[in-house]
Amino acid sequence: MSSIPDSAQLGRHVVIEDDVTIGEHVVIGHHSVILKGTKIEDGVKIGSHCVLGIQPASSERMRGTSNHTSPSVTQSGTKMGHLVSVYARTQIRNNVFIGAHASTRDT
């Protein structure tokens, strides 16, 4: 089960999977998806149509892939524009701005 405080503001048709942690005063825009295990700290603002916690695709032929994925963590005060994609294992620090249509991924 996920932890969503009363102070969080969720847009229409937001999907929040199990084992998600959301901090106080978080705003999540319409049609955004927060995938399993994602952690969002206090005061984060997420635009519409965003996806956080994406598991990277891989195949046997890819070099340097790992089956171990840690959660995506977005720290306090971060702001994301619309249509942002954040992959699992991505650590976003405090007060970062991520513009619309951006994609962030671990190395």
Side-chain angles (χ1 to χ4, degrees):
M1 189 129 173
S2 295
S3 171
I4 305 169
D6 290 337
S7 65
Q9 297 176 29
L10 307 180
R12 292 183 180 170
H13 307 292
V14 169
V15 175
I16 299 175
E17 290 189 346
D18 290 337
D19 196 29
V20 169
T21 303
I22 295 178
E24 295 287 338
H25 307 288
V26 168
V27 177
I28 301 174
H30 305 303
H31 300 278
S32 289
V33 178
I34 314 301
L35 297 171
K36 183 178 181 175
T38 301
K39 294 178 177 25
I40 302 169
E41 294 185 357
D42 298 341
V44 172
K45 293 184 180 5
I46 299 168
S48 297
H49 297 276
C50 295
V51 182
L52 279 70
I54 302 165
Q55 294 297 323
S58 64
S59 73
E60 295 173 8
R61 295 176 57 147
M62 293 175 69
R63 288 181 280 158
T65 61
S66 170
N67 290 334
H68 171 71
T69 56
S70 57
S72 167
V73 177
T74 303
Q75 293 184 350
S76 299
T78 294
K79 293 182 172 79
M80 294 182 196
H82 303 296
L83 297 158
V84 171
S85 299
V86 178
Y87 282 78
R89 297 188 345 190
T90 303
Q91 307 292 309
I92 300 171
R93 300 289 183 185
N94 292 317
N95 303 310
V96 170
F97 176 77
I98 300 173
H101 298 266
S103 178
T104 63
R105 187 170 179 153
D106 67 314
T107 55

